Amino acid sequence: MSQDAVSNKCEEQHAGGGAEPGTRFKLSERRFMVQLVDSDIRTREVLGWQGVHVLHFMGSSCSQKLRIFLNLKKIPWQSHPIDLPSNENMQSWFLGINPRGLVPVLVHDGAVHIESNDIIQYLEERFPTPQLIPAGRENEIAALLKHEDDLHLDLRTLSFRFVFAPPGPPKPAAALESYIANGAGTVQGVKDQEKQIQIEFWQRAAREGFTDAQARASALKFRAEFGALDKTLAKQPYLMGDHLSVLDIAWLIYEHRLSLAGYPFERLHPHVHAWAERLRAMSEFAKEVTQLRHSAERLDTIRRAQSGNTLEMIAGF
Ligand SMILES: N[C@@H](CCC(=O)N[C@@H](CS)C(=O)NCC(=O)O)C(=O)O
């Protein structure tokens, strides 16, 4: 996701928290951690929530990523579903928790963390086993996760065009007005540019829909990414080597959503396809993704409504 604009993702946000026994990251190496500060949070009740609480949506890719991570770690957590299709995330209560209006959100012992990758890196530190970020590679992984997050709006474009395909504007004007008007508008006490990116994304979608040109541009970015991942997976079982890591979780989620959109993984990236099938067969993954696949009938209906313009045709794959 347009990370240049997310300039308020500061380093060392947790520095005040002090090193705890077992902490693997040196404080000076912590990157991109987004723990909200008191003035960002208007829904004050969450400050009293003890334990691990997750605000999430069943069909959200970033939420799926976090839930798979929690499954693999066997971390007990309390679920707070946020209904994205009815725009619950654009209501004042939720914006009082995450001023960006995005899921997932972690509330851990009253501290609010946003950004799925930051949440995962934070939890890895607090719950080190099984290890999903290889020791000594924390900074590398942080950079690779940031790169993955940079493509989030491309994933969203292809999802809305080929998977969700809403008949009208994806966010009605009233929901957007509520989004604009509510929440602190700050992250870590600084005016949040990410919210503006979200507003512009939805306003543009209302004006233009998700055009062929946008879909093609986004699909081509993924072709380059998955082409590179395919070469890696030709040589090793997982993206970081011999062991499953958070990178596998993050990219599996993209692969999964894109395959629902009609991206031809098996033909273009056979090693990625085989790796994804292996991961999807694991219960920790299956639980979060397989049940959410559209039925063949539903996808057919969406495709027919697009007059046969499939992702493959539009992207020229
Ligand atoms: N960079 C954010 C992206 C989060 C994000 O965009 N989440 C989506 C769901 S996957 C969302 O909340 N969308 C709001 C909406 O559809 O209104 C993260 O990794 O947490």
Side-chain angles (χ1 to χ4, degrees):
M1 179 175 299
S2 321
Q3 205 69 36
D4 291 348
V6 191
S7 53
N8 50 9
K9 283 192 165 188
C10 305
E11 292 191 14
E12 301 186 39
Q13 286 307 320
H14 298 278
E20 293 171 11
T23 295
R24 296 214 325 265
F25 301 107
K26 286 195 203 115
L27 290 180
S28 61
E29 290 175 349
R30 288 176 167 176
R31 304 245 160 148
F32 310 120
M33 298 285 188
V34 185
Q35 178 180 341
L36 298 185
V37 298
D38 195 71
S39 60
D40 302 330
I41 303 163
R42 294 195 169 167
T43 300
R44 308 295 293 177
E45 68 200 64
V46 300
L47 303 178
W49 290 2
Q50 292 304 301
V52 176
H53 295 252
V54 178
L55 297 101
H56 65 118
F57 174 61
M58 193 51 74
S60 124
S61 57
C62 296
S63 305
Q64 290 172 326
K65 174 169 64 178
L66 177 56
R67 292 197 307 264
I68 292 169
F69 177 88
L70 292 164
N71 292 344
L72 288 162
K73 291 273 183 189
K74 298 191 170 41
I75 299 172
W77 57 284
Q78 292 191 48
S79 168
H80 302 262
I82 302 296
D83 190 52
L84 296 189
S86 66
N87 305 309
E88 196 180 352
N89 60 314
M90 297 192 158
Q91 300 306 310
S92 154
W93 182 83
F94 184 73
L95 285 158
I97 302 170
N98 181 358
R100 289 187 179 158
L102 301 172
V103 291
V105 175
L106 167 76
V107 181
H108 186 206
D109 293 338
V112 181
H113 300 262
I114 62 171
E115 292 298 325
S116 58
N117 289 332
D118 298 353
I119 293 171
I120 282 171
Q121 291 169 85
Y122 166 82
L123 287 173
E124 174 77 11
E125 235 189 291
R126 295 295 182 282
F127 301 87
T129 51
Q131 190 176 68
L132 292 171
I133 296 184
R137 300 181 77 180
E138 292 86 357
N139 286 343
E140 187 190 349
I141 295 250
L144 291 168
L145 288 176
K146 175 187 173 300
H147 180 65
E148 172 260 355
D149 186 52
D150 286 344
L151 292 166
H152 191 76
L153 289 185
D154 293 293
L155 186 76
R156 194 188 283 172
T157 294
L158 294 172
S159 298
F160 272 88
R161 173 68 195 259
F162 298 109
V163 184
F164 309 143
K171 298 291 167 190
L176 262 185
E177 273 162 33
S178 168
Y179 183 56
I180 291 165
N182 287 295
T186 59
V187 166
Q188 295 169 341
V190 177
K191 185 173 164 34
D192 186 31
Q193 296 177 51
E194 179 59 30
K195 180 169 177 175
Q196 191 53 35
I197 291 171
Q198 298 291 325
I199 292 168
E200 284 167 16
F201 180 92
W202 296 121
Q203 286 175 336
R204 178 169 156 172
R207 273 195 320 271
E208 304 172 8
F210 299 95
T211 64
D212 287 2
Q214 288 163 15
R216 191 176 307 115
S218 294
L220 286 171
K221 285 191 203 172
F222 284 114
R223 185 164 187 169
E225 292 301 324
F226 280 104
L229 297 183
D230 202 65
K231 290 202 176 89
T232 302
L233 291 168
K235 295 183 298 217
Q236 59 195 45
Y238 299 103
L239 292 174
M240 297 301 289
D242 289 334
H243 302 285
L244 181 74
S245 75
V246 293
L247 254 290
D248 297 291
I249 306 174
W251 283 105
L252 181 278
I253 289 306
Y254 276 18
E255 189 277 349
H256 187 74
R257 174 63 59 74
L258 289 170
S259 48
L260 290 183
Y263 188 108
F265 279 100
E266 193 165 8
R267 178 164 62 77
L268 294 184
H269 315 297
H271 298 103
V272 169
H273 174 74
W275 158 90
E277 289 296 293
R278 239 183 325 120
L279 294 185
R280 261 192 291 270
M282 292 171 63
S283 61
E284 294 88 349
F285 286 75
K287 207 163 133 182
E288 307 305 340
V289 291
T290 47
Q291 62 171 334
L292 301 167
R293 281 184 177 229
H294 276 331
S295 65
E297 294 75 26
R298 167 90 180 112
L299 273 180
D300 269 359
T301 311
I302 289 171
R303 286 183 186 147
R304 266 200 306 280
Q306 304 203 10
S307 333
N309 287 327
T310 62
L311 183 150
E312 278 174 287
M313 288 165 64
I314 285 166
F317 287 171

